[in-house]
């Protein structure tokens, strides 16, 4: 199937009444601050919501319009797309939108203008592309081990589709790798054919910081919007178990994300933070034109050499942005007001309309 025609999207945008734009997204993930922020910037909001999931949008009263669907993936159905276009919608992508709409559909059949670069979403989803972007940026990432036989220290093992940390494991030797693979097969967390897909990387012992940036295409500048840290089950529950019982109760910890804490970093680490943001966005401009537009997140671990090591990235609004719905220490410093990521996105749309440059930030 052929890719979405850029001119087609620009034609749809051209037909929109710019004084009557709707900001729309799927009711999940990080949509609350997108709706709240869009309303604060004067836009109408529309939630595409699976039946039974509407409660937060009603109770927080952030959505003006409800497009109710049987399942989230129906957002790509022709009738839903038509309703969105009829409302002059610009869609804000987030993790659940990408997961439910599906990358292939976003690239080929989703004919609704979206904020950001729809082509870059694949660079987050495919580990080889993600690594290429990070390697070419020259940022510090965990070393990759190509063959399990070469494991000679602590490694983290990941599988495709195991995003969210379920099915990650730690190993210290080739033998332990084999044992844990067997255990994963028995739990049905992986299938036989997944084994060759195992991604093995240096285990970075350090503290977790997920850094949320906003790249403004209009200003050609990266802003630091906030930082969160993950709260993951079962690994974070395990630290509350006495050491002598930990092996019995949690021999195979998982890393399933259940929530986030807002955090700040040591101030002396911030030069690295800005350098990472600048490098990744510059490289993206070359590799996936026009590069990032809007939110991105670099998930990092900071070791005791005070190196910020990036182990994952999000090329759209990350769930950790929910920790600063009313602004973070950094978004306050930057903007002098408590700004959420959603509101920053909506403001970029507003500026794009004002400057007549919407076509530069929409795909
Ligand atoms: P992710 O699903 O990629 O967000 O990863 C889930 C969790 O696994 C992270 O929050 C980290 O706690 C941990 N993790 C991922 N990669 C590494 C690594 N290379 N070294 C140590 N921990 C890691």
């Amino acid at each position: 199937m052929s890719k979405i025609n850029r001119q087609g999207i620009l034609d749809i945008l051209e037909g929109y009444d710019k004084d009557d734009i709707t900001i729309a997204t799927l009711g999940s993930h990080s949509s609350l601050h997108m709706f709240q922020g869009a309303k604060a910037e004067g836009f109408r909001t529309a939630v595409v919501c699976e039946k039974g999931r509407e409660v937060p949008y009603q109770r927080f009263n952030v959505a003006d319009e409800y497009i109710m669907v049987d399942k989230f993936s129906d957002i790509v159905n022709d009738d839903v797309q038509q309703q969105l276009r009829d409302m002059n919608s610009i869609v804000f992508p987030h993790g659940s939108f990408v997961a439910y709409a599906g990358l292939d559909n976003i690239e080929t059949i989703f004919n609704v203008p979206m904020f950001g670069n729809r082509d870059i979403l694949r660079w987050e989803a495919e580990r080889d592309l993600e690594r290429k972007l990070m390697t070419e940026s020259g940022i510090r990432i965990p070393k990759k081990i190509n063959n399990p036989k070469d494991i000679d220290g602590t490694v983290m093992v990941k599988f495709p589709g195991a995003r969210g940390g379920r099915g990650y494991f730690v190993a210290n030797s080739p033998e332990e790798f084999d044992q844990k693979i067997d255990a994963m097969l028995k739990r049905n967390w992986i299938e036989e054919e997944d084994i060759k897909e195992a991604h093995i990387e240096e285990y970075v012992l350090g503290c977790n910081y997920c850094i949320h940036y906003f790249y403004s295409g209009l200003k050609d500048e990266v802003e630091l919007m906030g930082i969160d840290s993950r709260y993951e089950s079962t690994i974070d529950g395990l630290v509350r178990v006495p050491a002598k019982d930990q092996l019995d109760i949690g021999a195979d910890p998982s890393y399933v994300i259940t929530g986030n804490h807002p955090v700040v970093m040591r101030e002396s680490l911030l030069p690295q933070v800005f350098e990472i943001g600048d490098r990744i966005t510059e490289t993206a401009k070359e590799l996936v034109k026009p590069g990032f537009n809007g939110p991105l997140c670099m998930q990092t671990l900071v070791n005791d050499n005070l190196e910020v090591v990036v182990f994952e990235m999000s090329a759209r609004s990350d769930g950790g942005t929910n920790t600063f719905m009313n602004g973070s220490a950094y978004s306050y410093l930057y903007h002098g007001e408590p700004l959420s990521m959603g509101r920053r996105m909506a403001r970029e749309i507003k500026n794009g309309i004002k400057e007549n440059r919407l076509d530069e930030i929409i795909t």
Side-chain angles (χ1 to χ4, degrees):
M1 201 165 312
S2 59
K3 282 210 160 189
I4 294 279
N5 177 280
R6 173 153 174 78
Q7 192 52 48
I9 293 287
L10 294 182
D11 290 345
I12 295 169
L13 202 59
E14 187 62 36
Y16 280 2
D17 175 356
K18 306 295 184 306
D19 294 324
D20 191 29
I21 295 286
T22 300
I23 301 299
T25 194
L26 209 62
S28 180
H29 196 266
S30 50
S31 66
L32 281 171
H33 60 78
M34 292 182 179
F35 294 134
Q36 197 278 340
K39 279 172 84 75
E41 292 297 310
F43 294 106
R44 180 176 49 235
T45 57
V47 59
V48 179
C49 195
E50 191 168 285
K51 288 177 189 139
R53 291 281 299 266
E54 59 274 28
V55 175
Y57 314 100
Q58 293 168 338
R59 298 287 274 266
F60 292 121
N61 192 24
V62 289
D64 298 312
E65 308 286 342
Y66 288 75
I67 301 177
M68 299 305 296
V69 288
D70 290 330
K71 40 189 199 322
F72 280 132
S73 53
D74 291 343
I75 190 166
V76 299
N77 290 358
D78 287 341
D79 59 321
V80 178
Q81 291 193 39
Q82 191 59 52
Q83 285 183 69
L84 288 169
R85 286 189 297 263
D86 288 347
M87 289 180 205
N88 299 324
S89 296
I90 294 173
V91 168
F92 280 5
H94 54 55
S96 296
F97 168 75
V98 176
Y100 289 111
L103 268 182
D104 289 341
N105 291 333
I106 293 170
E107 287 176 350
T108 57
I109 62 167
F110 192 65
N111 270 300
V112 182
M114 276 173 55
F115 178 40
N117 179 355
R118 67 174 84 202
D119 289 338
I120 210 163
L121 300 171
R122 188 168 289 281
W123 288 67
E124 157 191 345
E126 293 184 11
R127 211 175 284 284
D128 289 345
L129 290 178
E130 180 186 58
R131 246 190 124 72
K132 181 177 161 80
L133 184 55
M134 292 188 187
T135 312
E136 295 204 9
S137 305
I139 58 179
R140 168 82 162 89
I141 57 178
K143 290 178 198 76
K144 185 173 179 222
I145 289 102
N146 290 317
N147 189 327
K149 292 190 178 60
D150 298 332
I151 297 174
D152 67 350
T154 309
V155 295
M156 188 72 164
V157 183
K158 306 176 178 182
F159 291 91
R163 296 275 165 137
R166 186 177 150 111
Y168 285 12
F169 69 82
V170 177
N172 289 283
S173 64
E175 296 72 33
E176 194 180 350
F177 175 87
D178 292 339
Q179 281 163 15
K180 291 202 168 164
I181 288 281
D182 284 345
M184 299 264 300
L185 286 167
K186 287 207 183 86
R187 288 175 102 174
N188 289 325
W189 279 20
I190 56 166
E191 313 253 323
E192 203 67 54
E193 66 259 28
D194 295 327
I195 299 175
K196 59 179 185 318
E197 305 290 335
H199 168 88
I200 310 169
E201 66 184 29
E202 163 197 5
Y203 188 92
V204 181
L205 191 58
C207 303
N208 176 233
Y209 297 88
C210 297
I211 309 168
H212 305 278
Y213 302 96
F214 182 90
Y215 172 73
S216 166
L218 298 178
K219 292 198 301 179
D220 186 20
E221 194 169 78
V222 183
E223 298 165 15
L224 173 59
M225 291 295 294
I227 308 180
D228 84 280
S229 174
R230 303 284 139 112
Y231 210 27
E232 291 161 342
S233 210
T234 57
I235 192 73
D236 287 315
L238 208 53
V239 296
R240 299 177 67 88
V241 176
K244 74 175 183 47
D245 301 314
Q246 283 189 1
L247 274 181
D248 294 332
I249 193 174
D252 298 308
S254 49
Y255 298 78
V256 177
I257 184 152
T258 60
N260 310 73
H261 316 274
V263 288
V264 291
M265 272 189 179
R266 254 177 103 134
E267 196 167 314
S268 56
L269 289 168
L270 292 179
Q272 279 189 71
V273 168
F274 281 105
E275 189 177 347
I276 290 169
D278 289 345
R279 279 175 178 252
I280 198 92
T281 49
E282 275 306 310
T283 309
K285 278 187 211 161
E286 302 294 320
L287 293 182
V288 217
K289 285 187 178 47
F292 286 101
N293 241 330
L296 63 140
C297 172
M298 304 304 274
Q299 299 174 38
T300 75
L301 292 156
V302 179
N303 62 23
D304 58 0
N305 283 329
L306 296 176
E307 285 175 296
V308 182
V309 186
V310 181
F311 65 90
E312 193 75 78
M313 79 171 189
S314 305
R316 33 79 201 165
S317 165
D318 177 277
T321 53
N322 289 330
T323 56
F324 56 99
M325 296 203 202
N326 191 30
S328 76
Y330 302 109
S331 77
Y332 180 75
L333 277 175
Y334 211 96
H335 291 278
E337 62 179 315
L339 208 63
S340 70
M341 185 63 91
R343 187 159 186 185
R344 180 66 189 86
M345 294 165 82
R347 190 165 291 176
E348 189 82 349
I349 299 292
K350 203 161 133 182
N351 291 339
I353 295 170
K354 220 184 299 171
E355 296 171 24
N356 207 12
R357 295 172 65 194
L358 213 46
D359 58 322
E360 294 174 34
I361 56 174
I362 299 290
T363 53

